[in-house]
Amino acid sequence: MNETQRILQLRKELHEHNHRYYIDNAPTISDQAFDALMDELMKLEARHPELADPNSPSVRVGSDLSHEFNQVVHARPMLSLGNTYSRADVEAFYQRVAEGLGGAPFEICCELKYDGLSISLRYEHRRLSLAVTRGDGAIGDDVTENVKTIRTIPLELPADCGCPDDFEIRGEVLMPWASFERLNAEREAREEQLFANPRNAASGTLKSKTSAVVAQRRLDAYLYYVYADELAHMPHFDRLHAARQWGFQTSEHIRLARSVDEIFEYIDYWDQHRRELPVATDGIVLKVNDPAQQQQLGFTAKSPRWAIAYKFKAERERTLLREVTFQVGRTGAVTPVANMDPVLLAGTVVRRASLHNADIIRSLDLHLGDYVYVEKAGEIIPQIVGVDTEARSTNPALGAPVAFATHCPECGAALVRYPGEAAHYCPASSTCPPQLKGRIEHFISRDAMNIDSLGPETVDEYFERGLIHDAADLYQLRVEDLCGPDRSRLRSAQRVLDGLEDSKSVPFERVLYALGIRFVGKVVAKTLARHFRSMEGLRSATPEALLEVEGVGEAIATSVYGFLRDPANILLIERLAEAGLQMEVQQKELVSRKLEGQSIVVSGTFLFHSRDEYKQLIESHGGKNVGSISKKTAFILMGQDMGPSKREKAAKLGIPLVSEEEFLNKLGNG
Ligand code: IVH
C-alpha cells in the first residue's frame, strides 16, 4: 500500500471509529490506539499537502490559523420559539393547535430545550459543507472550521446510511458541564475571567478565531430539526430517528404525546431529572409532529405556531448579603452590585448580583446583613428576588438599610439622576477613569472598530501609563511608546499598530457605533449612516430631520443631536477624521436609477438569489431597502413563505406584491 492509499484508509477507519465512539458509545479500540492512528494520518497528511481534504478526521484537532467569519444568508430564516412559563400557557398552546387543526387528531413531539447556541449545518453530497450560527435569524456567521472540531458532528456520512445527498440539519451547540467546569478551573488558575455559564462558554468558544482553541474546549451538539426535500412527508419524530441512524447525535429523550396530560408528565419528569444530564437544559420544546399539520398551522412573524418552548422555573437559593458596591460604566451609569456569601445556583457559584438601580433596592427594602433569595433569570444572570424578612428578628448581624451612593466611587463627583430615569449617573464624563476606559474599550470592540490586538487589559495599561485618554489618542501611539525600554514587546506593539492601521478601513456605520453615543446601537448606527451618508450630513441634521428616519424616536434623536454639539465630542470626531477613519459611506457605483426614490420591502425566501443579494440589487439600482411596510412603500419583493401579517398589511395599504421573476424582468436581469 502506498502512502496515498494509506491516508485514504486511515481517514475511513478514523471516521468509523469516531462514529462508534461518539454516536454508538461503543468504541472498538483504545484511546491510545486511536491517537496512534490519528498521529500516523497527520504525519502522512503533512507530507502530502496535495491530498488535503477539508473533511479529514484530522481537522478535529483544529488549526492555529486565525479566521474572521464570513456572513451567510440562511436558506430558511432561523426563527426562535415563543416562550411559556406556566401549565396554563401549555394548555393554551395545545388548545390553539387543536383549534388550528380543526379538531383533527395530532401528536406533539416533546423534547428537551438545550441551553447552548443554535447552529445550522448543511450537507452536500453527504459531506458537511457549511455550519452557520443563528446570527440575527436571517444572516449568521460561517463557523464551519470551528464546528468541524466538534466530534459528535459527522464530517461525512456513510454512503449506505440512507441519508439524502443534500440536506440541512439544525441543532444546538453546547459545552457539557464537565468541559465547562474544567475550562473555568483552568481560567481561574490563570486569573482569567470566568465564564458565567456553559452557554456563554460555548458561544465564546464557537466564535473563537482559532479552531485549535475550539478543539481543546470539547464542545458537543444535539440536533433537533431536519430539512430535506426527500423527507417532506416524514414526521418530525421519525426524521430525528433517521438522523440518528445516519450518524448524528439527537436526543434520546424525545417522546410523542397524544394528550396534554402526557405533555405534563414529560415536563414534570424532566423538571426533576434534568440535573442528571451532562449538558444544560432550560426547558422543554413542544412540536407538532406531522409536517402537513405544521404547514397548516404556519408561522407568526417571529416563530412557528406549531411549536413552543416551556421554560423551567428558575432555581432559587438563600444567602447572606454582605455589602453593596457601585460600578461605573462607560456611559457614567452607576450600577449597584450585591456582594453575597457564595452559593451554588444552577451549577455555578454565585457571589455577586446586579441590583440595577435605586428603585429596586428600595422596593426590596434591602438591609446589609439580610438573608436574600437569589434566582437566575433564564439561568444566566443572578438576581436578588426577595428578602427573608422573618430571619431579621433573629439576625444579630442585621445592618442599616442599603443606601445608594451619593458620589462616584471612582472619581468622587456628585451623582445625578435625570428626570424620568431610574439610573444614577456620574456626570464627570471627561475625567472619570472607568468612563474614559469604558469608551475606549467599546471603541475597539469587535462590532465597533474590531481592533483585536488590543484588549481591556492593554487599554487599562496604556491608560494608567498616561498614553491614552480617548479613542483618538490610540492613533497617536508610536511603537517606542508600546514596546518597553528593552524593546522586548516589539512584536505585540507592532500588532497593536497594525490593528489600528487596519481599523482605518472600517466602514462609517461602525465608526459611528464605535463613538458610543447613547441609544445608538449597531442597527441605529447603520440606519443613520445609510440615511445621512456622512458625519457631515449627520452633524448638520436638525432634530426634526433625525426624527424622520425610520426607527429613530425622540430619545435617539435627542441623544445624537446633543452628542454632536458637545465641544469635546466635536474635537474627538475631528481628531479621528484626521487620523484617517471613515467618515462617510463609501459610494458604490449605481448600475441604474430604475428604482430611485422607491422604498422596497424584501420579504420571504427566494429561488434565484438570496435575500441579501436582492437587497444589494435594489441599492445598486438606486432603491432603498426598508424593513416594514408603510404607505410610503413602493412595492414588496415577495418570496416564498411571506408571513400572513405582512400580506394583510400590504393588502390593506394597497401595496403591490412583486414576484422574483417580475422584479428581475423590471431590472432587465430576467
Ligand atoms: S426547535 C422552528 N428544538 O431554543 C424550530 N429548539 O427559541 C426552532 N433549542 O433558538 C427550534 N433545544 O436554539 C428547537 N429541542 C429543541 C431545542 C431548541 C434548544 C433552542 C434553539 C432556539 C431556541 C428557541
Side-chain angles (χ1 to χ4, degrees):
M1 182 181 296
N2 65 25
E3 288 190 338
T4 305
Q5 287 165 331
R6 180 66 183 150
I7 286 179
L8 297 179
Q9 182 189 38
L10 282 167
R11 283 178 183 161
K12 183 159 172 285
E13 274 179 29
L14 285 163
H15 276 308
E16 285 164 7
H17 286 306
N18 268 330
H19 188 100
R20 284 186 210 119
Y21 187 95
Y22 289 105
I23 306 297
D24 304 338
N25 283 325
T28 52
I29 58 170
S30 69
D31 287 1
Q32 288 91 323
F34 181 91
D35 290 345
L37 292 177
M38 182 68 88
D39 223 45
E40 189 188 344
L41 174 63
M42 288 176 67
K43 286 200 179 103
L44 285 172
E45 284 182 338
R47 287 230 293 272
H48 290 276
E50 77 284 2
L51 297 177
D53 174 355
N55 285 29
S56 163
S58 61
V59 299
R60 303 281 203 208
V61 184
S63 118
D64 277 336
L65 286 179
S66 152
H67 44 257
E68 293 291 339
F69 301 113
N70 288 323
Q71 310 241 289
V72 178
V73 180
H74 292 296
R76 301 166 192 79
M78 280 184 95
L79 300 175
S80 60
L81 296 173
N83 285 327
T84 60
Y85 298 89
S86 71
R87 284 171 174 261
D89 289 342
V90 171
E91 272 175 35
F93 165 73
Y94 197 82
Q95 214 48 47
R96 277 200 307 278
V97 169
E99 278 163 27
L101 297 176
F106 61 92
E107 292 171 325
I108 296 287
C109 185
C110 306
E111 302 174 16
L112 291 164
K113 184 169 187 302
Y114 291 104
D115 195 10
L117 61 153
S118 35
I119 192 87
S120 149
L121 307 175
R122 283 240 281 275
Y123 284 76
E124 288 174 46
H125 307 300
R126 291 183 291 102
R127 289 161 69 91
L128 175 64
S129 61
L130 192 61
V132 187
T133 61
R134 187 177 117 82
D136 64 4
I139 300 176
D141 281 331
D142 174 351
V143 289
T144 314
E145 289 316 304
N146 286 347
V147 161
K148 282 182 179 174
T149 67
I150 303 177
R151 287 154 198 256
T152 43
I153 293 183
L155 299 170
E156 55 182 74
L157 302 165
D160 54 0
C161 73
C163 71
D165 258 6
D166 300 337
F167 61 95
E168 180 183 351
I169 186 162
R170 290 184 179 173
E172 200 83 350
V173 170
L174 303 147
M175 184 174 286
W177 287 113
S179 311
F180 171 72
E181 272 145 28
R182 197 186 54 201
L183 174 63
N184 260 356
E186 287 165 10
R187 291 174 80 87
E188 190 150 34
R190 291 196 299 262
E191 291 189 10
E192 289 172 2
Q193 201 181 354
L194 302 191
F195 284 112
N197 53 51
R199 170 167 18 155
N200 289 3
S203 153
T205 303
L206 200 64
K207 305 263 171 75
S208 162
K209 289 189 190 131
T210 46
S211 52
V213 170
V214 188
Q216 281 160 17
R217 298 241 184 117
R218 295 294 157 115
L219 294 176
D220 203 349
Y222 285 88
L223 286 313
Y224 53 61
Y225 208 85
V226 187
Y227 294 95
D229 293 341
E230 290 87 337
L231 307 184
H233 303 293
M234 188 187 272
H236 169 69
F237 185 87
D238 300 356
R239 279 188 215 182
L240 291 187
H241 272 284
R244 174 173 272 263
Q245 301 302 317
W246 308 337
F248 289 99
Q249 176 163 262
T250 57
S251 173
E252 303 164 59
H253 307 301
I254 56 175
R255 294 283 177 273
L256 285 177
R258 290 182 184 83
S259 68
V260 80
D261 286 340
E262 283 179 22
I263 295 177
F264 287 141
E265 265 170 37
Y266 187 86
I267 290 179
D268 291 341
Y269 180 84
W270 284 111
D271 206 357
Q272 285 299 312
H273 290 88
R274 66 193 177 105
R275 281 166 209 88
E276 296 154 20
L277 294 166
V279 294
T281 54
D282 61 343
I284 299 291
V285 177
L286 304 172
K287 300 177 188 163
V288 171
N289 192 33
D290 179 62
Q293 293 184 328
Q294 288 183 0
Q295 211 172 10
Q296 196 180 338
L297 291 162
F299 295 83
T300 69
K302 281 198 298 232
S303 47
R305 288 202 182 83
W306 46 264
I308 205 156
Y310 167 84
K311 299 287 271 282
F312 293 128
K313 289 224 172 48
E315 287 184 61
R316 172 183 281 214
E317 289 297 338
R318 182 175 168 277
T319 185
L320 183 69
L321 173 67
R322 295 240 169 233
E323 190 191 7
V324 173
T325 50
F326 296 86
Q327 267 177 4
V328 187
R330 73 175 159 91
T331 59
V334 177
T335 314
V337 179
N339 295 263
M340 302 164 293
D341 276 356
V343 62
L344 188 69
L345 193 61
T348 49
V349 177
V350 174
R351 293 185 177 82
R352 289 151 61 81
S354 167
L355 287 165
H356 305 287
N357 57 50
D359 296 342
I360 291 189
I361 296 180
R362 198 170 322 111
S363 69
L364 286 166
D365 182 29
L366 270 189
H367 287 57
L368 293 176
D370 258 335
Y371 281 90
V372 292
Y373 295 109
V374 199
E375 261 186 16
K376 276 191 181 176
E379 313 221 1
I380 308 186
I381 314 152
Q383 229 163 341
I384 294 185
V385 292
V387 175
D388 181 354
T389 43
E390 278 173 24
R392 278 187 182 158
S393 56
T394 56
N395 181 355
L398 188 71
V402 173
F404 207 91
T406 52
H407 289 77
C408 174
E410 301 280 346
C411 75
L415 300 183
V416 294
R417 206 171 179 186
Y418 302 112
E421 283 203 40
H424 283 74
Y425 286 89
C426 165
S429 64
S430 53
T431 49
C432 179
Q435 294 187 56
L436 296 171
K437 282 191 273 191
R439 289 202 294 268
I440 302 174
E441 279 167 21
H442 170 75
F443 183 84
I444 62 172
S445 63
R446 181 171 170 212
D447 291 333
M449 304 304 284
N450 190 23
I451 305 169
D452 61 1
S453 48
L454 276 171
E457 300 81 26
T458 336
V459 167
D460 201 54
E461 186 209 315
Y462 293 175
F463 186 88
E464 297 306 329
R465 284 171 56 201
L467 293 171
I468 53 173
H469 295 94
D470 61 25
D473 289 342
L474 290 170
Y475 295 92
Q476 305 300 319
L477 290 171
R478 294 163 312 170
V479 81
E480 48 274 31
D481 298 331
L482 308 184
C483 65
D486 54 354
R487 299 181 73 75
S488 57
R489 296 196 297 171
L490 192 60
R491 266 172 59 128
S492 67
Q494 197 51 54
R495 261 207 312 279
V496 169
L497 294 185
D498 290 348
L500 285 161
E501 195 55 36
D502 289 347
S503 75
K504 294 180 184 171
S505 56
V506 164
F508 172 54
E509 62 189 50
R510 278 170 47 197
V511 176
L512 192 54
Y513 169 67
L515 290 175
I517 307 173
R518 259 183 106 205
F519 306 128
V520 179
K522 282 180 285 181
V523 177
V524 172
K526 189 185 251 182
T527 316
L528 290 172
R530 294 206 173 156
H531 189 94
F532 293 102
R533 316 297 296 173
S534 68
M535 190 62 88
E536 226 12 79
L538 188 61
R539 274 175 63 179
S540 53
T542 59
E544 295 73 38
L546 286 162
L547 277 171
E548 270 172 27
V549 181
E550 198 176 305
V552 174
E554 199 76 52
I556 299 175
T558 312
S559 165
V560 171
Y561 189 79
F563 185 96
L564 294 175
R565 259 142 210 87
D566 178 329
N569 296 331
I570 295 174
L571 186 64
L572 175 74
I573 292 169
E574 276 167 10
R575 289 171 61 218
L576 290 173
E578 247 163 60
L581 269 58
Q582 301 288 326
M583 290 294 165
E584 57 188 36
V585 174
Q586 286 305 316
Q587 290 292 350
K588 281 195 209 100
E589 290 271 313
L590 284 190
V591 178
S592 87
R593 294 178 179 278
K594 283 184 186 158
L595 302 175
E596 190 157 281
Q598 306 196 26
S599 296
I600 299 159
V601 173
V602 182
S603 179
T605 53
F606 298 93
L607 230 53
F608 302 124
H609 296 280
S610 71
R611 198 201 318 235
D612 241 27
E613 285 166 353
Y614 276 120
K615 288 191 172 170
Q616 280 168 17
L617 210 55
I618 288 172
E619 281 184 10
S620 69
H621 288 272
K624 200 168 125 198
N625 289 293
V626 290
S628 55
I629 304 171
S630 71
K631 54 180 190 299
K632 291 186 207 147
T633 308
F635 63 87
I636 298 167
L637 172 55
M638 174 193 58
Q640 291 161 342
D641 324 319
M642 180 169 129
S645 62
K646 277 209 169 123
R647 262 174 208 283
E648 249 169 59
K649 192 156 181 197
K652 209 152 87 202
L653 296 173
I655 311 289
L657 303 177
V658 172
S659 75
E660 236 177 316
E661 290 88 342
E662 284 170 305
F663 178 74
L664 292 172
N665 282 332
K666 212 187 211 3
L667 297 182
N669 287 20

